[in-house]
Amino acid sequence: MAKWTPKHEAPEPLEGPIVPTIIGGTILWFVLFLVQLPFYGWFDDRGHAWWVWTCLAGTGLGLYGVYFVKKRDTAIKRAAAAAKDGEAPAAE
C-alpha cells in the first residue's frame, strides 16, 4: 500500500473570536438544560433522561473550555508581545 501524500499545503488555522464562541455555546447548553428540566419526568418515562444530563455535561465542559481558551488566548497575546519586544516568551 502506497503512502498517502497531500497534493497541496494545509491552510493556516482560522483565528477568530474564540472566547465569545465558547461562551455562547456554553450558554446554549445551559439554556437547553433549563428548558428540558421541567420535563424530566417525561424524558425519564421514555428512557431519554440522558438528554437532560447531556446538556448539563455540555455546560460543565463548556465552563472548562472557557477557562482553557482564556488561558490560551492570554498566552498567545503574551508571546506576541514578547516577540514584538524581541524577547523570548516565558515558559509556564
Side-chain angles (χ1 to χ4, degrees):
M1 186 175 229
K3 183 179 176 184
W4 180 80
T5 307
K7 296 183 182 2
H8 54 79
E9 293 294 319
E12 290 294 318
L14 296 175
E15 290 294 334
I18 298 170
V19 176
T21 302
I22 301 298
I23 290 172
T26 303
I27 290 170
L28 181 64
W29 278 113
F30 187 65
V31 167
L32 289 171
F33 170 72
L34 291 178
V35 167
Q36 291 180 1
L37 198 56
F39 304 103
Y40 182 79
W42 186 88
F43 284 111
D44 196 33
D45 291 344
R46 287 155 181 80
H48 296 297
W50 62 271
W51 288 12
V52 178
W53 302 120
T54 298
C55 293
L56 187 61
T59 301
L61 290 171
L63 290 173
Y64 172 72
V66 169
Y67 165 76
F68 182 80
V69 169
K70 280 187 177 183
K71 264 187 91 159
R72 177 185 176 271
D73 202 33
T74 303
I76 288 171
K77 288 177 182 174
R78 187 180 322 119
K84 183 180 176 185
D85 295 339
E87 302 171 5
E92 290 186 25

